[in-house]
Amino acid sequence: MSSLPARLPSRAQCLDDRLSGATQTPLETQADDRRRSARIARIDALIQPAGRLALVDVSSFGCCVRYADPTIGPGHFIALNFAGLGAISGYVRWREDENMGVEFCRAIPPATERALATHEILESVRRL
């Protein structure tokens, strides 16, 4: 007797069965039920007033950010959202008054570093 699992039907066979009106398997029924149910997402984002949220300094491995929210501090994993560039994730390594040092998860390319240093606007900081 073979210990191999039974062969699963191909995607084409499943599609043919659906089109021919065959009954759904319990897994297919459960997947359909999940697609129909409402989903609730929680987004923890705080946008600070102008002047209280700013990129102070940037390098390829991290940056200094002015951010007034005291609930984010050393050890937190965050996402920095920049206008026109998207999000960059990193860890808060230090905090002093309103300034905090962020180490990026990955070094950013020199072109991105130049863009951030010259004109990209920091829109929000989000704790992940």
Side-chain angles (χ1 to χ4, degrees):
M1 186 171 225
S2 175
S3 64
L4 295 175
R7 184 181 163 117
L8 296 174
S10 70
R11 188 175 202 161
Q13 288 171 333
C14 290
L15 184 59
D16 289 342
D17 290 344
R18 279 192 177 179
L19 294 175
S20 68
T23 59
Q24 290 184 331
T25 66
L27 286 177
E28 290 172 330
T29 304
Q30 183 182 10
D32 284 344
D33 290 343
R34 282 196 312 260
R35 287 186 201 109
R36 287 187 197 105
S37 64
R39 290 176 175 79
I40 298 172
R42 180 178 168 208
I43 300 173
D44 293 328
L46 178 63
I47 299 176
Q48 294 284 316
R52 307 214 59 196
L53 177 64
L55 185 65
V56 177
D57 188 19
V58 66
S59 72
S60 59
F61 298 101
C63 64
C64 178
V65 174
R66 183 177 306 122
Y67 186 60
D69 183 10
T71 62
I72 295 180
H76 288 135
F77 184 53
I78 63 170
L80 303 169
N81 297 305
F82 293 94
L85 184 65
I88 298 176
S89 58
Y91 291 96
V92 178
R93 292 297 179 195
W94 58 267
R95 174 115 197 180
E96 185 176 298
D97 298 325
E98 288 189 347
N99 291 336
M100 63 182 176
V102 178
E103 179 184 354
F104 299 141
C105 291
R106 290 189 198 122
I108 58 174
T112 304
E113 182 183 345
R114 283 190 300 276
L116 290 175
T118 56
H119 66 281
E120 295 297 335
I121 298 170
L122 180 59
E123 292 181 326
S124 66
V125 174
R126 181 170 48 106
R127 186 173 166 187
L128 301 174

